[in-house]
Amino acid sequence: MSRNSELFERACKTIPGGVNSPVRAFRSVGGTPRFIKRANGPYVWDEDDAKYIDYVGSWGPAILGHAHPEVIKAVQEAAVNGLSFGAPTEGEILIAEAICERIPSMEKVRLVSSGTEATMSAIRLARGATGRSKIIKFEGCYHGHADSLLVKAGSGMLTFGNPTSSGVPLEFIQHTLVLDFNDLQAVETAFTEYGKEIACVIVEPVAGNMNLVKPKAGFLEGLRKLCSDHGALLIFDEVMTGFRVGPQGVQGLTGVTPDITTLAKVIGGGMPVGAFGGRADVMEHIAPVGAVYQAGTLSGNPVAVAAGLTTLRLLSEPGFYDRLAEQSKKLVQGLTERAGSAGVLFAADSIGGMFGLYFSLEVPTSFEEVSAADVDLFRRFFHEMLERGVYFAPSAFEAGFVSSTHDDEVIQATLDAAEIAFSRLV
Ligand SMILES: *Cc1c(COP(=O)(O)O)cnc(C)c1O
């Protein structure tokens, strides 16, 4: 029996489903999850000593590749001075300054320990600042697992949604309106109906939790205008896209400025760090200055902040994002060519260090189109690639991630594996 299988069996005895986050369990692709022993650069090694080129990158944070020597050194140096104090530290100022400097719409920022905390707090802040209750989110966008955000669309466009999780009472989501991503008309209708009651619109400005779906031209601009016209706040959930698609996230690429931004993943460099921030006048509603309560025992943890700060510093090297985007492009173009030669229905897209693979004719623009992809074909492709030492996300509905250590040689090895994998799908 493989050690991965042994460990998984053992894990299932004390950990529900054997994992601490559901997608890790390989449920949607089948098979045994790989237990990772160590990682370096673009590679991870499992407990059976198999080596994989990794395109999960801890679901986004590992933008510098795994175990970057400078990040590891920063963590080691910080740890020697104590792991947590529950009192302010200079490092927290430095990372706040680094974030606000890089993302100008974030005039003030509060640190938390996860993306879920960041979005949950941002929603509370938007409600507190506007004195309104209703929020708009989009089907297929994921904003962490806070109760009011675990919602899918109801039966009609302007009906409020249904919980996507057991344990979330209907009453908790009665203020959450779920609309279609890229459907600006629906948002307009919602504002016409409920304008004065809507506290905020929260959106992944490039959606990365229903595979990768880019905003159509005018969608984000339209959200901005509708929010401004109706006194609602626009929240960009850039937990995934922040410092991933470019130096200023999607807002830097599109020029659309949100009122509140949420971050996590990359800003922790692999350690638990999240953040929400925005207009100073909005952020002043947060305790201890304002009446919106928000707190955290480990918020701004000195070791995590050291990893994040070092990561942000390394990301600001000139040309970093151009190179990253270039490597992602080489990957998706190479995959598309090889799928084409093999006669597999396939499309792919990328933005910065993020990419999407679709077993469909075209790059999707909506949740509906994403959902129509050939999941069974993805499952087979996933396992063909895994067998050949390439680790893609174990789900057809997740984005993939390239790091600065995915050099030409690594991309080429991936494409060589893909050539065989695609040929075996037909
Ligand atoms: C990952 C993610 C979250 C949740 O972050 P966690 O750190 O897993 O709680 C929220 N929003 C988006 C867009 C994400 O990609």
Side-chain angles (χ1 to χ4, degrees), residues 32-116:
T32 308
R34 302 306 192 257
F35 279 68
I36 304 303
K37 184 154 69 174
R38 71 188 175 93
N40 197 274
Y43 303 110
V44 295
W45 284 263
D46 74 12
E47 290 281 356
D48 286 312
D49 290 317
K51 176 185 178 184
Y52 305 91
I53 298 172
D54 177 28
Y55 288 102
V56 176
S58 186
W59 301 98
I63 193 165
L64 298 167
H66 292 287
H68 188 289
E70 288 188 56
V71 177
I72 300 299
K73 184 164 160 266
V75 166
Q76 288 170 334
E77 282 175 4
V80 169
N81 291 324
L83 298 182
S84 174
F85 319 120
T89 59
E90 186 178 8
E92 292 164 88
I93 310 174
L94 296 178
I95 196 165
E97 288 173 350
I99 291 170
C100 295
E101 222 167 70
R102 287 162 173 77
I103 304 185
S105 76
M106 299 177 81
E107 295 171 349
K108 290 200 168 176
V109 63
R110 171 66 58 88
L111 293 183
V112 293
S113 299
S114 72
T116 293

Side-chain angles (χ1 to χ4, degrees), residues 114-117 119 142-145 204 209 237 239-240 264-265:
S114 72
T116 293
E117 262 189 275
T119 51
Y142 176 67
H143 304 293
H145 60 90
E204 285 183 74
N209 285 285
D237 180 356
V239 164
M240 183 182 290
K265 297 195 169 109

Side-chain angles (χ1 to χ4, degrees), residues 255-276:
V256 179
T257 307
D259 302 293
I260 302 173
T261 300
T262 55
L263 299 169
K265 297 195 169 109
V266 169
I267 62 162
M271 298 287 280
V273 182
F276 64 102

Side-chain angles (χ1 to χ4, degrees), residues 280-325:
D281 64 306
V282 172
M283 290 303 289
E284 296 290 323
H285 286 273
I286 291 282
V289 188
V292 177
Y293 190 70
Q294 188 280 328
T297 301
L298 294 179
S299 293
N301 174 270
V303 184
V305 162
L309 251 179
T310 307
T311 301
L312 290 181
R313 178 169 58 72
L314 292 165
L315 293 178
S316 46
E317 278 168 15
F320 180 91
Y321 285 99
D322 292 338
R323 283 196 302 275
L324 193 68

Side-chain angles (χ1 to χ4, degrees), residues 11 15 29 37 71 109 117 119 150 200 212 219 221 242 361 407:
I15 304 172
V29 290
K37 184 154 69 174
V71 177
V109 63
E117 262 189 275
T119 51
L150 290 179
C200 65
L212 173 73
F219 179 62
E221 291 79 357
L361 186 58
D407 59 17

Side-chain angles (χ1 to χ4, degrees), residues 334-394:
L335 288 173
T336 309
E337 277 164 29
R338 279 153 186 81
S341 318
V344 175
L345 202 63
F346 179 86
D349 199 8
S350 71
I351 178 167
M354 233 171 118
F355 64 86
L357 312 178
Y358 324 94
F359 285 85
S360 57
L361 186 58
E362 281 178 71
V363 171
T365 60
S366 67
F367 180 68
E368 202 186 342
E369 285 171 23
V370 166
S371 310
D374 191 335
V375 175
D376 190 56
L377 209 53
F378 169 81
R379 195 179 295 142
R380 289 170 55 208
F381 176 72
F382 169 83
H383 281 293
E384 291 288 349
M385 292 301 280
L386 196 65
E387 239 174 73
R388 290 172 180 76
V390 182
Y391 189 99
F392 284 120

